[in-house]
Amino acid sequence: GDVKVYLKGYGRLLSSLVHAFRNAVDHGIEFSEKRLEDGKPEAGEIRVSFKVYPNLGLDAVPHLQIQIKDDGNGINADRIREKLKATSARHPLLNAEDTEVYQTLFESGFSTKTEVTELSGRGVGLDAILCEAQRLNGNARLDSEFGRGTTLTIEVPLISVLELSLEDA
């Protein structure tokens, strides 16, 4: 579209997004045979969108929203709960709504993978994205529909050319 993003201000955040793509491929997008069985197109899809919002709160600062959405298998909240239960039978999120449980995946070292692969399983990817968003005074969240796909939404204040010029001064 017509959204201009100044890479200098968002470089570290944008670089961290490689983890989101790795997760979508390794955790989310199913093999072709499974997708066809489920009535999905043979090839998985990952969409990225950038939007600018005039104001997302009381701060009156325009925000940049980055969304990475896949049409994969989605997140199994019960699987996350199982991992949480293994750490504490009284974990506060065991009875939480799925949406809240998904956010656990941003915790450093947390992964639903049982094996580490070249693409994922270390539990550092989403944590890196959240850290970079927070460094820019923003945030990130996960939404998912099991069997249908996952959306990663990142919202950060919009950095203007003027702000970048002032950093160099």
Side-chain angles (χ1 to χ4, degrees):
D2 59 354
V3 176
K4 289 183 174 47
V5 177
Y6 301 101
L7 293 180
K8 185 175 178 184
Y10 296 110
R12 288 172 47 183
L13 173 64
L14 295 174
S15 293
S16 75
L17 296 182
V18 69
H19 298 292
F21 296 106
R22 287 179 175 174
N23 282 344
V25 170
D26 202 31
H27 288 277
I29 304 291
E30 313 92 334
F31 288 107
S32 299
E33 300 81 23
K34 171 80 167 109
R35 292 180 61 80
L36 290 171
E37 284 175 23
D38 292 344
K40 294 181 178 182
E42 185 175 6
E45 183 173 88
I46 302 171
R47 289 181 177 245
V48 180
S49 64
F50 290 78
K51 295 179 185 173
V52 174
Y53 291 94
N55 180 359
L56 286 178
L58 301 175
D59 58 7
V61 174
H63 278 68
L64 172 67
Q65 181 188 75
I66 304 167
Q67 279 195 330
I68 300 173
K69 184 175 188 166
D70 70 63
D71 70 344
N73 199 39
I75 300 170
N76 184 337
D78 289 334
R79 201 156 161 228
I80 297 170
R81 287 185 184 95
E82 288 172 17
K83 297 249 341 180
L84 293 172
K85 191 174 186 177
T87 62
S88 169
R90 294 180 172 209
H91 196 286
L93 292 177
L94 291 178
N95 297 313
E97 295 290 325
D98 289 356
T99 306
E100 197 173 341
V101 172
Y102 301 148
Q103 308 324 306
T104 305
L105 297 174
F106 286 109
E107 292 179 11
S108 181
F110 192 93
S111 177
T112 57
K113 283 291 226 183
T114 54
E115 296 178 12
V116 174
T117 68
E118 287 183 35
L119 295 177
S120 67
R122 293 169 207 65
V124 296
L126 291 175
D127 176 44
I129 294 169
L130 179 61
C131 286
E132 287 304 319
Q134 290 175 336
R135 185 181 64 79
L136 294 169
N137 296 316
N139 208 349
R141 74 176 181 278
L142 284 169
D143 295 294
S144 187
E145 185 179 347
F146 190 58
R148 306 298 306 156
T150 301
T151 303
L152 169 66
T153 303
I154 302 148
E155 294 172 347
V156 292
L158 186 64
I159 298 172
S160 70
V161 176
L162 178 60
E163 288 170 296
L164 291 175
S165 300
L166 292 175
E167 278 183 17
D168 293 335

